[in-house]
Amino acid sequence: MIKYTEDHEWLKVEGDTATVGITVHAQDALGDVVFVDLPEVGKTLAHKDVAGVVESVKAAADVYMPVDGEIVEVNEALRADPALANSDPLGAGWFFKVKLSDASQLDALLDETAYNAFAANN
């Protein structure tokens, strides 16, 4: 299951863990990504907390926690090669994995159709 936020993050949910990254729309808006700041493994964050930062040649943007949970893994390959956020934002360019504290929070997120409609107007 893939869900989206209005802050342009995506989540791929597998069991009680979600992989999180930025959407194609977000990376298009940012331009060439040159740096990412990822959260610490083991850190517990709440929905809407700033989990990291992505910097591009155009701007810097916060990456928000889409749900409550504990960071269980970060993408070290992305830290080494931030351009992965541009070349494969929905795959190799993922940011972190979070163990969900409350899976019911997923219900408030957007599906692909709703996100595409939102992104087209924002």
Side-chain angles (χ1 to χ4, degrees):
M1 166 176 43
I2 298 181
K3 293 287 202 165
Y4 299 85
T5 72
E6 291 184 355
D7 295 316
H8 305 288
E9 290 98 15
W10 59 264
L11 298 81
K12 181 178 180 185
V13 181
E14 298 171 289
D16 67 349
T17 302
T19 303
V20 179
I22 62 170
T23 64
V24 171
H25 178 83
Q27 69 84 30
D28 280 347
L30 284 166
D32 293 335
V33 175
V34 295
F35 175 78
V36 294
D37 180 28
L38 301 172
E40 293 178 36
V41 172
K43 189 169 189 174
T44 299
L45 297 168
H47 174 245
K48 291 289 192 178
D49 282 353
V50 175
V53 176
V54 59
E55 294 181 10
S56 73
V57 294
K58 290 186 192 176
D62 291 332
V63 177
Y64 296 99
M65 246 341 235
V67 292
D68 297 349
E70 177 187 350
I71 304 300
V72 293
E73 187 177 347
V74 295
N75 187 353
E76 293 297 342
L78 181 65
R79 194 186 315 259
D81 183 8
L84 288 172
N86 293 118
S87 62
D88 193 9
L90 303 178
W94 62 274
F95 280 59
F96 56 88
K97 294 185 180 185
V98 58
K99 183 176 167 89
L100 304 172
S101 295
D102 181 0
S104 71
Q105 288 180 316
L106 298 171
D107 297 338
L109 301 177
L110 305 171
D111 64 16
E112 185 173 10
T113 301
Y115 174 74
N116 287 336
F118 171 80
N121 294 310
N122 290 289

